[in-house]
């Protein structure tokens, strides 16, 4: 099997089956709304196939890989989905029961499970030696001791900081579009939920998880089936709130910013909650939001264009530009006086 692809191209029927395995049953007219997720699924399998081809000749554990197609992968996903309270060896045993006739190494079974977790939970779970497949996104690894639920919970620890006084409330202009134009912030889109809101302060690059439709579908699936989601409900809701905070759907500047980057997640509702400006209402993402606010939003503009666009403090902005205008007028007046004096002296001498 070394050197060949595992997964055939995805057919429309496969797309629907994958979506329903992850998010539950859906009506026909809703399938198009999951196109971004299907693109993510394709990208994951493309990376996986590349790993098989690249590593199969030098790593014999790839040569007897137990899953062969999309249907096999869906079985592994379903097993992972139903066994959140289990450890990896327990999940591994459940998965092996589905493929009794296939002999494979523990490493191969683990890679099957890692792939299923990436597809199911959109977390970058993989072995460290394959981190180069996602060079911009840190990898996380599930060990044999922790249950899947405890492993996921560990990736999203609640903040222990409590912000007091006026500092807890951010400015209404605290949006990515404003920080991009005023503070020089750049955005990179990430396919891994635990990478959301990670800030590179030196490069002024913010990572954003834009799959709002998937977050809403996870919530809808858990509510519809009355089951506990492996991803905590509060985490899913709060992640949606961070997207609504940083990308308000009613803000024209934000809409223009997203459309230029071929992103449309702001269009997904419902918009039941008001946009929260209180950082203490964010338990999972508070620390990263606070860092973004302090390191980027409160930083001064880098150039004159950003200075002109900066409306965070209207009184300060107006005072500054009035002072600059007065300074320019003073220079013009001084220059005129010098020219007049020079002309007068020249007239007297002549």
């Amino acid at each position: 099997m070394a050197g060949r692809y595992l997964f055939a191209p995805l057919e429309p029927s496969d797309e629907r089956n994958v979506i329903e395995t992850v998010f539950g049953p859906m009506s026909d007219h809703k399938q198009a709304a999951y196109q971004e997720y299907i693109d993510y699924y394709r990208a994951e399998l493309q990376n996986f196939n590349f790993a098989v081809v690249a590593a199969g000749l030098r790593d014999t554990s790839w040569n007897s890989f137990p899953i062969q197609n999309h249907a096999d992968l869906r079985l592994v996903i379903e097993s992972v989905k139903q066994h959140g309270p289990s450890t990896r060896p327990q999940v591994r045993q459940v998965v092996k029961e589905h493929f009794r006739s296939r002999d494979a190494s523990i490493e191969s079974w683990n890679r099957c499970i890692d792939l299923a977790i990436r597809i199911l939970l959109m977390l970058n779970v993989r072995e460290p030696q394959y981190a180069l497949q996602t060079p911009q996104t840190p990898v996380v690894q599930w060990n044999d001791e922790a249950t899947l639920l405890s492993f996921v919970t560990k990736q999203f620890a609640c903040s222990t900081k409590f912000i007091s006084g006026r500092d807890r409330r951010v400015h209404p202009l605290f949006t990515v579009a404003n920080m991009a134009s005023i503070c020089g912030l750049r955005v990179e889109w990430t396919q891994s939920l635990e990478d959301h809101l990670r800030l590179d302060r030196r490069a002024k690059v913010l990572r954003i998880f834009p799959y709002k439709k998937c977050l809403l579908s996870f919530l809808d699936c858990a509510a519809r089936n009355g089951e506990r989601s492996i991803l905590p409900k509060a985490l899913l809701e709060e992640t949606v709130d961070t997207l609504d905070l940083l990308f308000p759907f009613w803000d024209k500047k934000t809409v223009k910013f997203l459309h230029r980057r071929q992103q449309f997640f702001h269009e997904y509702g419902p918009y039941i909650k008001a946009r929260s400006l209180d950082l203490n209402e964010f338990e999972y993402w508070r620390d990263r939001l606070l860092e973004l606010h302090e390191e980027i939003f409160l930083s001064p503009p880098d150039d004159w264009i950003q200075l002109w666009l900066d409306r965070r403090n209207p009184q300060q902005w107006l005072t500054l530009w009035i002072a600059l205008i007065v300074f320019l007028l003073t220079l013009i007046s001084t220059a005129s006086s010098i020219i007049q004096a020079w002309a007068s002296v020249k007239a007297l001498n002549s």
Side-chain angles (χ1 to χ4, degrees):
M1 191 180 78
R4 74 174 179 84
Y5 292 121
L6 287 175
F7 297 97
L10 200 62
E11 300 294 335
S13 58
D14 293 320
E15 293 182 6
R16 183 184 183 92
N17 289 334
V18 168
I19 294 170
E20 293 193 335
T21 299
V22 175
F23 301 108
M26 64 173 182
S27 55
D28 292 336
H29 70 279
K30 290 186 177 181
Q31 183 168 338
Y34 291 93
Q35 187 56 51
E36 288 183 339
Y37 177 78
I38 290 299
D39 292 340
Y40 164 75
Y41 179 87
R42 291 179 192 274
E44 277 298 324
L45 293 193
Q46 184 177 12
N47 284 336
F48 194 80
N49 278 329
F50 177 78
V52 172
V53 173
L57 295 176
R58 65 176 186 271
D59 184 352
T60 56
S61 67
W62 287 92
N63 294 342
S64 57
F65 205 74
I67 62 173
Q68 306 291 315
N69 51 51
H70 301 288
D72 289 349
L73 178 55
R74 291 198 304 274
L75 273 177
V76 181
I77 293 172
E78 198 63 53
S79 298
V80 171
K81 188 176 182 180
Q82 294 176 359
H83 292 83
S86 303
T87 62
R88 187 165 68 166
Q90 291 171 331
V91 173
R92 193 163 57 228
Q93 187 59 40
V94 171
V95 172
K96 289 170 69 174
E97 287 295 318
H98 290 297
F99 306 97
R100 293 182 181 179
S101 62
R102 301 179 190 177
D103 186 29
S105 65
I106 290 178
E107 291 82 3
S108 292
W109 290 115
N110 287 344
R111 287 166 188 156
C112 290
I113 294 169
D114 287 348
L115 176 61
I117 292 174
R118 294 199 297 274
I119 299 300
L120 175 64
L121 303 179
M122 304 186 77
L123 302 177
N124 193 31
V125 179
R126 67 181 78 237
E127 295 164 291
Q129 60 264 39
Y130 300 110
L132 288 178
Q133 292 182 354
T134 56
Q136 302 299 324
T137 307
V139 300
V140 292
Q141 190 172 19
W142 184 23
N143 60 37
D144 281 354
E145 288 73 36
T147 67
L148 181 56
L149 285 174
S150 63
F151 163 71
V152 171
T153 300
K154 185 179 178 180
Q155 308 310 313
F156 302 99
C158 292
S159 174
T160 57
K161 297 179 181 178
F162 182 82
I163 310 170
S164 59
R166 297 175 59 185
D167 294 337
R168 65 188 292 175
R169 190 171 179 82
V170 297
H171 195 284
L173 292 180
F174 184 59
T175 69
V176 165
N178 281 323
M179 286 183 277
S181 61
I182 297 171
C183 311
L185 180 69
R186 293 188 294 116
V187 170
E188 290 180 354
W189 311 108
T190 179
Q191 296 178 329
S192 188
L193 180 57
E194 83 279 358
D195 196 35
H196 182 55
L197 295 182
R198 184 168 60 88
L199 177 66
D200 183 339
R201 290 181 288 182
R202 292 182 58 187
K204 287 190 174 182
V205 174
L206 179 68
R207 304 276 285 176
I208 293 291
F209 182 80
Y211 296 89
K212 185 178 180 181
K213 175 62 179 177
C214 295
L215 298 170
L216 295 172
S217 295
F218 284 136
L219 287 167
D220 181 62
C221 180
R224 185 172 60 246
N225 299 329
E227 60 185 28
R228 179 182 179 183
S229 171
I230 296 176
L231 292 168
K233 178 184 176 184
L235 169 69
L236 297 170
E237 292 175 336
E238 190 172 303
T239 307
V240 171
D241 290 342
T242 63
L243 293 174
D244 291 344
L245 170 65
L246 296 174
F247 302 92
F249 72 95
W250 42 261
D251 180 50
K252 293 181 179 179
K253 191 173 182 179
T254 293
V255 172
K256 185 177 180 180
F257 176 89
L258 290 174
H259 283 185
R260 284 202 305 264
R261 290 158 178 80
Q262 298 298 305
Q263 291 288 342
F264 306 95
F265 60 82
H266 62 290
E267 298 176 358
Y268 291 114
Y271 307 101
I272 300 174
K273 297 173 61 177
R275 179 174 178 244
S276 176
L277 300 177
D278 188 345
L279 292 182
N280 282 338
E281 293 184 8
F282 297 89
E283 295 185 358
Y284 293 96
W285 303 112
R286 184 186 308 158
D287 293 349
R288 293 189 181 184
L289 286 172
L290 181 62
E291 181 186 27
L292 178 63
H293 185 259
E294 292 180 345
E295 297 292 335
I296 302 298
F297 185 78
L298 296 182
S299 65
D302 292 331
D303 54 43
W304 287 100
I305 295 177
Q306 292 180 7
L307 186 64
W308 171 254
L309 295 172
D310 188 0
R311 299 293 195 278
R312 290 171 292 182
N313 189 328
Q315 184 177 0
Q316 185 180 24
W317 178 86
L318 187 61
T319 301
L320 173 64
W321 286 104
I322 289 176
L324 287 174
I325 292 172
V326 170
F327 176 71
L328 290 174
L329 291 175
T330 301
L331 286 179
I332 294 172
S333 176
T334 302
S336 298
S337 298
I338 293 173
I339 292 173
Q340 289 176 356
W342 176 80
S344 299
V345 170
K346 186 175 182 181
L348 288 173
N349 291 337
S350 61

